[in-house]
mmCIF file of all heavy atoms in Angstrom:
data_model
loop_
_atom_site.group_PDB
_atom_site.id
_atom_site.type_symbol
_atom_site.label_atom_id
_atom_site.label_comp_id
_atom_site.label_asym_id
_atom_site.label_seq_id
_atom_site.Cartn_x
_atom_site.Cartn_y
_atom_site.Cartn_z
ATOM 1 N N LYS A 23 -7.361 -5.039 -7.817
ATOM 2 C CA LYS A 23 -6.262 -5.418 -6.850
ATOM 3 C C LYS A 23 -6.698 -6.372 -5.696
ATOM 4 O O LYS A 23 -7.867 -6.221 -5.198
ATOM 5 C CB LYS A 23 -5.866 -4.104 -6.094
ATOM 6 C CG LYS A 23 -4.482 -4.291 -5.105
ATOM 7 C CD LYS A 23 -4.116 -3.011 -4.450
ATOM 8 C CE LYS A 23 -3.012 -3.232 -3.566
ATOM 9 N NZ LYS A 23 -1.844 -3.716 -4.151
ATOM 10 N N ARG A 24 -5.972 -7.481 -5.568
ATOM 11 C CA ARG A 24 -6.254 -8.490 -4.632
ATOM 12 C C ARG A 24 -6.491 -7.849 -3.165
ATOM 13 O O ARG A 24 -5.845 -6.829 -2.807
ATOM 14 C CB ARG A 24 -5.235 -9.550 -4.449
ATOM 15 C CG ARG A 24 -5.218 -10.563 -5.631
ATOM 16 C CD ARG A 24 -4.336 -11.672 -5.356
ATOM 17 N NE ARG A 24 -4.342 -12.739 -6.419
ATOM 18 C CZ ARG A 24 -5.190 -13.637 -6.569
ATOM 19 N NH1 ARG A 24 -6.197 -13.746 -5.777
ATOM 20 N NH2 ARG A 24 -5.091 -14.460 -7.627
ATOM 21 N N GLY A 25 -7.480 -8.370 -2.414
ATOM 22 C CA GLY A 25 -7.746 -7.868 -1.179
ATOM 23 C C GLY A 25 -9.242 -7.624 -0.947
ATOM 24 O O GLY A 25 -10.049 -8.125 -1.662
ATOM 25 N N HIS A 26 -9.624 -6.906 0.108
ATOM 26 C CA HIS A 26 -10.910 -6.752 0.538
ATOM 27 C C HIS A 26 -11.787 -6.073 -0.539
ATOM 28 O O HIS A 26 -13.002 -6.285 -0.693
ATOM 29 C CB HIS A 26 -10.927 -5.930 1.722
ATOM 30 C CG HIS A 26 -12.329 -5.785 2.425
ATOM 31 N ND1 HIS A 26 -12.820 -6.891 3.108
ATOM 32 C CD2 HIS A 26 -13.194 -4.854 2.494
ATOM 33 C CE1 HIS A 26 -14.014 -6.527 3.571
ATOM 34 N NE2 HIS A 26 -14.295 -5.263 3.226
ATOM 35 N N GLN A 27 -11.152 -5.210 -1.403
ATOM 36 C CA GLN A 27 -11.951 -4.448 -2.389
ATOM 37 C C GLN A 27 -12.124 -5.147 -3.790
ATOM 38 O O GLN A 27 -12.713 -4.611 -4.708
ATOM 39 C CB GLN A 27 -11.269 -3.002 -2.632
ATOM 40 C CG GLN A 27 -11.235 -2.319 -1.299
ATOM 41 C CD GLN A 27 -12.608 -1.907 -0.764
ATOM 42 O OE1 GLN A 27 -13.606 -1.654 -1.564
ATOM 43 N NE2 GLN A 27 -12.731 -1.820 0.538
ATOM 44 N N LEU A 28 -11.362 -6.200 -3.917
ATOM 45 C CA LEU A 28 -11.324 -6.960 -5.252
ATOM 46 C C LEU A 28 -12.726 -7.143 -5.790
ATOM 47 O O LEU A 28 -13.640 -7.748 -5.073
ATOM 48 C CB LEU A 28 -10.666 -8.310 -5.141
ATOM 49 C CG LEU A 28 -10.558 -9.112 -6.396
ATOM 50 C CD1 LEU A 28 -9.737 -8.398 -7.562
ATOM 51 C CD2 LEU A 28 -10.056 -10.453 -6.087
ATOM 52 N N GLY A 29 -13.013 -6.758 -7.048
ATOM 53 C CA GLY A 29 -14.322 -6.910 -7.743
ATOM 54 C C GLY A 29 -15.306 -5.780 -7.342
ATOM 55 O O GLY A 29 -16.367 -5.752 -7.892
ATOM 56 N N ARG A 30 -14.914 -4.823 -6.528
ATOM 57 C CA ARG A 30 -15.892 -3.714 -6.237
ATOM 58 C C ARG A 30 -16.237 -2.944 -7.408
ATOM 59 O O ARG A 30 -15.301 -2.488 -8.192
ATOM 60 C CB ARG A 30 -15.260 -2.889 -5.107
ATOM 61 C CG ARG A 30 -16.223 -1.704 -4.552
ATOM 62 C CD ARG A 30 -15.603 -1.078 -3.292
ATOM 63 N NE ARG A 30 -14.429 -0.370 -3.623
ATOM 64 C CZ ARG A 30 -14.479 1.016 -3.866
ATOM 65 N NH1 ARG A 30 -15.598 1.659 -3.906
ATOM 66 N NH2 ARG A 30 -13.260 1.637 -4.117
ATOM 67 N N VAL A 31 -17.465 -2.549 -7.546
ATOM 68 C CA VAL A 31 -17.907 -1.489 -8.629
ATOM 69 C C VAL A 31 -17.686 -0.116 -8.147
ATOM 70 O O VAL A 31 -18.199 0.210 -7.076
ATOM 71 C CB VAL A 31 -19.336 -1.796 -8.893
ATOM 72 C CG1 VAL A 31 -19.873 -0.796 -9.960
ATOM 73 C CG2 VAL A 31 -19.608 -3.184 -9.364
ATOM 74 N N ILE A 32 -16.984 0.604 -8.936
ATOM 75 C CA ILE A 32 -16.732 2.073 -8.549
ATOM 76 C C ILE A 32 -17.375 3.003 -9.560
ATOM 77 O O ILE A 32 -17.205 2.891 -10.761
ATOM 78 C CB ILE A 32 -15.171 2.315 -8.715
ATOM 79 C CG1 ILE A 32 -14.433 1.334 -7.707
ATOM 80 C CG2 ILE A 32 -14.833 3.813 -8.393
ATOM 81 C CD1 ILE A 32 -12.874 1.351 -7.965
ATOM 82 N N GLY A 33 -18.251 3.744 -9.016
ATOM 83 C CA GLY A 33 -19.162 4.695 -9.866
ATOM 84 C C GLY A 33 -18.519 6.021 -9.961
ATOM 85 O O GLY A 33 -18.832 6.800 -10.971
ATOM 86 N N GLN A 34 -17.652 6.354 -9.002
ATOM 87 C CA GLN A 34 -16.967 7.682 -9.146
ATOM 88 C C GLN A 34 -15.564 7.497 -8.601
ATOM 89 O O GLN A 34 -15.383 6.918 -7.542
ATOM 90 C CB GLN A 34 -17.691 8.782 -8.179
ATOM 91 C CG GLN A 34 -19.082 9.158 -8.727
ATOM 92 C CD GLN A 34 -18.963 10.040 -10.022
ATOM 93 O OE1 GLN A 34 -18.043 10.704 -10.266
ATOM 94 N NE2 GLN A 34 -20.005 9.937 -10.875
ATOM 95 N N GLY A 35 -14.568 7.963 -9.450
ATOM 96 C CA GLY A 35 -13.206 7.808 -8.989
ATOM 97 C C GLY A 35 -12.491 6.542 -9.677
ATOM 98 O O GLY A 35 -13.054 6.094 -10.617
ATOM 99 N N SER A 36 -11.411 6.208 -9.096
ATOM 100 C CA SER A 36 -10.453 5.284 -9.732
ATOM 101 C C SER A 36 -10.212 4.048 -8.863
ATOM 102 O O SER A 36 -10.525 4.090 -7.625
ATOM 103 C CB SER A 36 -9.168 5.917 -10.095
ATOM 104 O OG SER A 36 -9.370 7.109 -10.901
ATOM 105 N N ALA A 37 -9.684 2.964 -9.640
ATOM 106 C CA ALA A 37 -9.265 1.832 -8.869
ATOM 107 C C ALA A 37 -7.945 2.133 -8.014
ATOM 108 O O ALA A 37 -7.321 3.154 -8.388
ATOM 109 C CB ALA A 37 -9.064 0.630 -9.731
ATOM 110 N N LEU A 38 -7.593 1.226 -7.185
ATOM 111 C CA LEU A 38 -6.256 1.477 -6.436
ATOM 112 C C LEU A 38 -5.216 1.451 -7.364
ATOM 113 O O LEU A 38 -5.183 0.759 -8.406
ATOM 114 C CB LEU A 38 -6.171 0.406 -5.338
ATOM 115 C CG LEU A 38 -7.201 0.363 -4.214
ATOM 116 C CD1 LEU A 38 -7.046 -0.926 -3.399
ATOM 117 C CD2 LEU A 38 -6.959 1.684 -3.397
ATOM 118 N N PRO A 39 -4.141 2.357 -7.203
ATOM 119 C CA PRO A 39 -3.002 2.366 -8.163
ATOM 120 C C PRO A 39 -2.215 1.054 -8.175
ATOM 121 O O PRO A 39 -2.269 0.319 -7.230
ATOM 122 C CB PRO A 39 -2.173 3.533 -7.594
ATOM 123 C CG PRO A 39 -2.468 3.655 -6.169
ATOM 124 C CD PRO A 39 -4.030 3.230 -6.039
ATOM 125 N N ASN A 40 -1.667 0.918 -9.382
ATOM 126 C CA ASN A 40 -0.812 -0.363 -9.492
ATOM 127 C C ASN A 40 0.438 -0.237 -8.493
ATOM 128 O O ASN A 40 1.232 0.712 -8.662
ATOM 129 C CB ASN A 40 -0.323 -0.503 -10.960
ATOM 130 C CG ASN A 40 0.456 -1.701 -11.218
ATOM 131 O OD1 ASN A 40 0.368 -2.708 -10.563
ATOM 132 N ND2 ASN A 40 1.454 -1.541 -12.121
ATOM 133 N N SER A 41 0.623 -1.247 -7.700
ATOM 134 C CA SER A 41 1.684 -1.300 -6.788
ATOM 135 C C SER A 41 2.992 -1.849 -7.423
ATOM 136 O O SER A 41 4.096 -1.589 -6.980
ATOM 137 C CB SER A 41 1.374 -2.213 -5.604
ATOM 138 O OG SER A 41 1.228 -3.493 -6.009
ATOM 139 N N GLY A 42 2.823 -2.596 -8.533
ATOM 140 C CA GLY A 42 3.962 -3.152 -9.298
ATOM 141 C C GLY A 42 4.458 -4.377 -8.486
ATOM 142 O O GLY A 42 5.357 -5.063 -8.924
ATOM 143 N N VAL A 43 3.785 -4.894 -7.505
ATOM 144 C CA VAL A 43 4.223 -6.090 -6.722
ATOM 145 C C VAL A 43 3.085 -7.115 -6.933
ATOM 146 O O VAL A 43 1.906 -6.902 -6.562
ATOM 147 C CB VAL A 43 4.292 -5.732 -5.234
ATOM 148 C CG1 VAL A 43 4.709 -6.994 -4.471
ATOM 149 C CG2 VAL A 43 5.311 -4.669 -4.946
ATOM 150 N N PRO A 44 3.424 -8.219 -7.452
ATOM 151 C CA PRO A 44 2.504 -9.362 -7.654
ATOM 152 C C PRO A 44 1.913 -9.825 -6.439
ATOM 153 O O PRO A 44 2.486 -9.743 -5.394
ATOM 154 C CB PRO A 44 3.295 -10.497 -8.347
ATOM 155 C CG PRO A 44 4.546 -9.754 -8.942
ATOM 156 C CD PRO A 44 4.797 -8.559 -7.948
ATOM 157 N N GLY A 45 0.669 -10.382 -6.389
ATOM 158 C CA GLY A 45 -0.048 -10.847 -5.244
ATOM 159 C C GLY A 45 0.669 -12.047 -4.709
ATOM 160 O O GLY A 45 1.404 -12.741 -5.385
ATOM 161 N N MET A 46 0.556 -12.322 -3.444
ATOM 162 C CA MET A 46 1.235 -13.455 -2.822
ATOM 163 C C MET A 46 0.487 -14.745 -3.115
ATOM 164 O O MET A 46 -0.710 -14.826 -2.964
ATOM 165 C CB MET A 46 1.334 -13.238 -1.281
ATOM 166 C CG MET A 46 2.044 -12.094 -0.829
ATOM 167 S SD MET A 46 3.858 -12.217 -1.115
ATOM 168 C CE MET A 46 4.306 -13.347 0.173
ATOM 169 N N ILE A 47 1.271 -15.708 -3.456
ATOM 170 C CA ILE A 47 0.777 -17.074 -3.645
ATOM 171 C C ILE A 47 1.754 -18.138 -2.992
ATOM 172 O O ILE A 47 2.989 -18.075 -3.379
ATOM 173 C CB ILE A 47 0.654 -17.457 -5.141
ATOM 174 C CG1 ILE A 47 -0.483 -16.615 -5.776
ATOM 175 C CG2 ILE A 47 0.336 -18.945 -5.333
ATOM 176 C CD1 ILE A 47 -0.676 -16.957 -7.230
ATOM 177 N N GLY A 48 1.244 -18.776 -2.061
ATOM 178 C CA GLY A 48 2.101 -19.793 -1.277
ATOM 179 C C GLY A 48 3.312 -19.172 -0.701
ATOM 180 O O GLY A 48 4.346 -19.767 -0.556
ATOM 181 N N GLY A 49 3.133 -17.862 -0.239
ATOM 182 C CA GLY A 49 4.297 -17.176 0.408
ATOM 183 C C GLY A 49 5.255 -16.466 -0.528
ATOM 184 O O GLY A 49 6.196 -15.852 -0.088
ATOM 185 N N TYR A 50 4.860 -16.476 -1.745
ATOM 186 C CA TYR A 50 5.856 -15.841 -2.774
ATOM 187 C C TYR A 50 5.129 -14.696 -3.510
ATOM 188 O O TYR A 50 3.940 -14.890 -3.940
ATOM 189 C CB TYR A 50 6.388 -16.808 -3.732
ATOM 190 C CG TYR A 50 7.392 -17.874 -3.120
ATOM 191 C CD1 TYR A 50 6.977 -19.098 -2.693
ATOM 192 C CD2 TYR A 50 8.726 -17.454 -3.042
ATOM 193 C CE1 TYR A 50 7.950 -20.013 -2.182
ATOM 194 C CE2 TYR A 50 9.639 -18.414 -2.548
ATOM 195 C CZ TYR A 50 9.129 -19.623 -2.041
ATOM 196 O OH TYR A 50 10.069 -20.561 -1.528
ATOM 197 N N GLY A 51 5.736 -13.636 -3.689
ATOM 198 C CA GLY A 51 5.194 -12.501 -4.475
ATOM 199 C C GLY A 51 5.988 -12.213 -5.792
ATOM 200 O O GLY A 51 5.871 -12.879 -6.703
ATOM 201 N N ALA A 52 6.842 -11.222 -5.657
ATOM 202 C CA ALA A 52 7.670 -10.881 -6.782
ATOM 203 C C ALA A 52 8.508 -12.106 -7.228
ATOM 204 O O ALA A 52 8.830 -12.144 -8.451
ATOM 205 C CB ALA A 52 8.525 -9.638 -6.483
ATOM 206 N N GLN A 53 9.014 -12.924 -6.404
ATOM 207 C CA GLN A 53 9.880 -13.955 -6.742
ATOM 208 C C GLN A 53 9.287 -14.876 -7.728
ATOM 209 O O GLN A 53 10.040 -15.615 -8.460
ATOM 210 C CB GLN A 53 10.383 -14.779 -5.415
ATOM 211 C CG GLN A 53 10.850 -13.898 -4.400
ATOM 212 C CD GLN A 53 9.832 -13.687 -3.223
ATOM 213 O OE1 GLN A 53 8.736 -13.248 -3.585
ATOM 214 N NE2 GLN A 53 10.166 -13.959 -2.091
ATOM 215 N N ARG A 54 8.036 -15.159 -7.700
ATOM 216 C CA ARG A 54 7.355 -16.131 -8.624
ATOM 217 C C ARG A 54 7.103 -15.677 -9.965
ATOM 218 O O ARG A 54 6.805 -16.462 -10.944
ATOM 219 C CB ARG A 54 6.005 -16.531 -8.025
ATOM 220 C CG ARG A 54 4.973 -15.474 -8.008
ATOM 221 C CD ARG A 54 3.694 -15.989 -7.415
ATOM 222 N NE ARG A 54 2.632 -14.882 -7.395
ATOM 223 C CZ ARG A 54 1.820 -14.535 -8.413
ATOM 224 N NH1 ARG A 54 2.120 -15.050 -9.568
ATOM 225 N NH2 ARG A 54 1.109 -13.494 -8.274
ATOM 226 N N VAL A 55 7.391 -14.424 -10.307
ATOM 227 C CA VAL A 55 7.187 -13.874 -11.677
ATOM 228 C C VAL A 55 8.414 -13.505 -12.234
ATOM 229 O O VAL A 55 9.446 -13.026 -11.657
ATOM 230 C CB VAL A 55 6.380 -12.494 -11.518
ATOM 231 C CG1 VAL A 55 6.171 -11.904 -12.923
ATOM 232 C CG2 VAL A 55 4.951 -12.721 -10.910
ATOM 233 N N ILE A 56 8.618 -13.932 -13.506
ATOM 234 C CA ILE A 56 9.857 -13.837 -14.259
ATOM 235 C C ILE A 56 9.624 -12.746 -15.371
ATOM 236 O O ILE A 56 8.704 -12.845 -16.107
ATOM 237 C CB ILE A 56 10.228 -15.228 -14.868
ATOM 238 C CG1 ILE A 56 10.533 -16.181 -13.661
ATOM 239 C CG2 ILE A 56 11.563 -15.066 -15.683
ATOM 240 C CD1 ILE A 56 10.724 -17.657 -14.177
ATOM 241 N N HIS A 57 10.539 -11.938 -15.412
ATOM 242 C CA HIS A 57 10.608 -10.923 -16.529
ATOM 243 C C HIS A 57 11.818 -11.108 -17.491
ATOM 244 O O HIS A 57 12.807 -11.724 -17.104
ATOM 245 C CB HIS A 57 10.708 -9.526 -15.990
ATOM 246 C CG HIS A 57 9.448 -9.145 -15.119
ATOM 247 N ND1 HIS A 57 9.337 -9.473 -13.756
ATOM 248 C CD2 HIS A 57 8.353 -8.418 -15.405
ATOM 249 C CE1 HIS A 57 8.296 -9.066 -13.360
ATOM 250 N NE2 HIS A 57 7.556 -8.447 -14.265
ATOM 251 N N ALA A 58 11.692 -10.756 -18.797
ATOM 252 C CA ALA A 58 12.622 -11.061 -19.720
ATOM 253 C C ALA A 58 14.001 -10.268 -19.399
ATOM 254 O O ALA A 58 14.020 -9.077 -19.249
ATOM 255 C CB ALA A 58 12.219 -10.516 -21.162
ATOM 256 N N PRO A 59 15.047 -11.014 -19.272
ATOM 257 C CA PRO A 59 16.426 -10.386 -18.860
ATOM 258 C C PRO A 59 17.055 -9.834 -20.118
ATOM 259 O O PRO A 59 18.069 -9.183 -19.981
ATOM 260 C CB PRO A 59 17.153 -11.627 -18.387
ATOM 261 C CG PRO A 59 16.631 -12.851 -19.119
ATOM 262 C CD PRO A 59 15.136 -12.543 -19.337
ATOM 263 N N ALA A 60 16.500 -10.066 -21.254
ATOM 264 C CA ALA A 60 17.090 -9.451 -22.526
ATOM 265 C C ALA A 60 16.019 -9.321 -23.633
ATOM 266 O O ALA A 60 14.826 -9.856 -23.401
ATOM 267 C CB ALA A 60 18.149 -10.425 -23.076
ATOM 268 N N SER A 61 16.308 -8.653 -24.684
ATOM 269 C CA SER A 61 15.317 -8.548 -25.762
ATOM 270 C C SER A 61 15.743 -9.525 -26.893
ATOM 271 O O SER A 61 16.886 -9.840 -27.076
ATOM 272 C CB SER A 61 15.371 -7.175 -26.423
ATOM 273 O OG SER A 61 14.934 -6.065 -25.475
ATOM 274 N N GLY A 62 14.669 -10.085 -27.546
ATOM 275 C CA GLY A 62 14.927 -10.984 -28.613
ATOM 276 C C GLY A 62 13.808 -12.013 -28.821
ATOM 277 O O GLY A 62 12.789 -11.850 -28.067
ATOM 278 N N THR A 63 14.002 -13.026 -29.599
ATOM 279 C CA THR A 63 13.031 -14.050 -29.813
ATOM 280 C C THR A 63 13.164 -15.135 -28.692
ATOM 281 O O THR A 63 14.213 -15.716 -28.528
ATOM 282 C CB THR A 63 13.126 -14.627 -31.129
ATOM 283 O OG1 THR A 63 12.980 -13.686 -32.083
ATOM 284 C CG2 THR A 63 12.063 -15.746 -31.404
ATOM 285 N N ILE A 64 12.141 -15.507 -28.049
ATOM 286 C CA ILE A 64 12.196 -16.484 -26.895
ATOM 287 C C ILE A 64 11.941 -17.752 -27.511
ATOM 288 O O ILE A 64 11.119 -18.123 -28.352
ATOM 289 C CB ILE A 64 11.187 -16.174 -25.683
ATOM 290 C CG1 ILE A 64 11.453 -16.908 -24.646
ATOM 291 C CG2 ILE A 64 9.811 -16.242 -26.211
ATOM 292 C CD1 ILE A 64 10.710 -16.540 -23.314
ATOM 293 N N ARG A 65 12.779 -18.764 -26.980
ATOM 294 C CA ARG A 65 12.593 -20.140 -27.270
ATOM 295 C C ARG A 65 12.189 -20.870 -25.970
ATOM 296 O O ARG A 65 13.127 -21.045 -25.096
ATOM 297 C CB ARG A 65 13.885 -20.855 -27.867
ATOM 298 C CG ARG A 65 14.259 -20.194 -29.268
ATOM 299 C CD ARG A 65 13.063 -20.409 -30.179
ATOM 300 N NE ARG A 65 13.209 -19.761 -31.530
ATOM 301 C CZ ARG A 65 12.300 -19.534 -32.414
ATOM 302 N NH1 ARG A 65 11.035 -19.934 -32.122
ATOM 303 N NH2 ARG A 65 12.519 -18.881 -33.560
ATOM 304 N N VAL A 66 10.986 -21.315 -25.905
ATOM 305 C CA VAL A 66 10.576 -21.975 -24.625
ATOM 306 C C VAL A 66 10.934 -23.338 -24.570
ATOM 307 O O VAL A 66 10.703 -24.143 -25.525
ATOM 308 C CB VAL A 66 8.943 -21.821 -24.591
ATOM 309 C CG1 VAL A 66 8.409 -22.563 -23.379
ATOM 310 C CG2 VAL A 66 8.621 -20.367 -24.596
ATOM 311 N N LEU A 67 11.385 -23.787 -23.376
ATOM 312 C CA LEU A 67 11.961 -25.236 -23.166
ATOM 313 C C LEU A 67 11.187 -26.004 -22.311
ATOM 314 O O LEU A 67 11.246 -27.290 -22.315
ATOM 315 C CB LEU A 67 13.376 -25.181 -22.790
ATOM 316 C CG LEU A 67 14.372 -24.330 -23.634
ATOM 317 C CD1 LEU A 67 15.757 -24.295 -23.011
ATOM 318 C CD2 LEU A 67 14.466 -25.037 -25.058
ATOM 319 N N GLU A 68 10.249 -25.305 -21.579
ATOM 320 C CA GLU A 68 9.375 -26.062 -20.590
ATOM 321 C C GLU A 68 7.943 -25.641 -20.810
ATOM 322 O O GLU A 68 7.619 -24.462 -21.025
ATOM 323 C CB GLU A 68 9.780 -25.701 -19.110
ATOM 324 C CG GLU A 68 11.126 -26.351 -18.731
ATOM 325 C CD GLU A 68 11.222 -27.831 -18.616
ATOM 326 O OE1 GLU A 68 10.126 -28.541 -18.535
ATOM 327 O OE2 GLU A 68 12.289 -28.452 -18.715
#
């Protein structure tokens, strides 16, 4: 998980739980990630 603990070696216990929120880049978090709005074969145009 991005932040102060990123890359820390844990010998007992677990990593921080998944928040489901992408890390911030250039002021954007969840907005910068795109998820499939439907099921099917994707045709990439860009």
Side-chain angles (χ1 to χ4, degrees):
K23 184 177 177 62
R24 283 192 181 275
H26 189 72
Q27 301 296 325
L28 178 63
R30 183 170 70 95
V31 175
I32 301 168
Q34 291 290 329
S36 304
L38 294 170
N40 178 35
S41 66
V43 179
M46 297 292 287
I47 293 181
Y50 292 93
Q53 308 100 308
R54 66 180 178 80
V55 177
I56 300 173
H57 296 85
S61 296
T63 300
I64 190 167
R65 294 303 172 196
V66 174
L67 304 175
E68 293 291 342

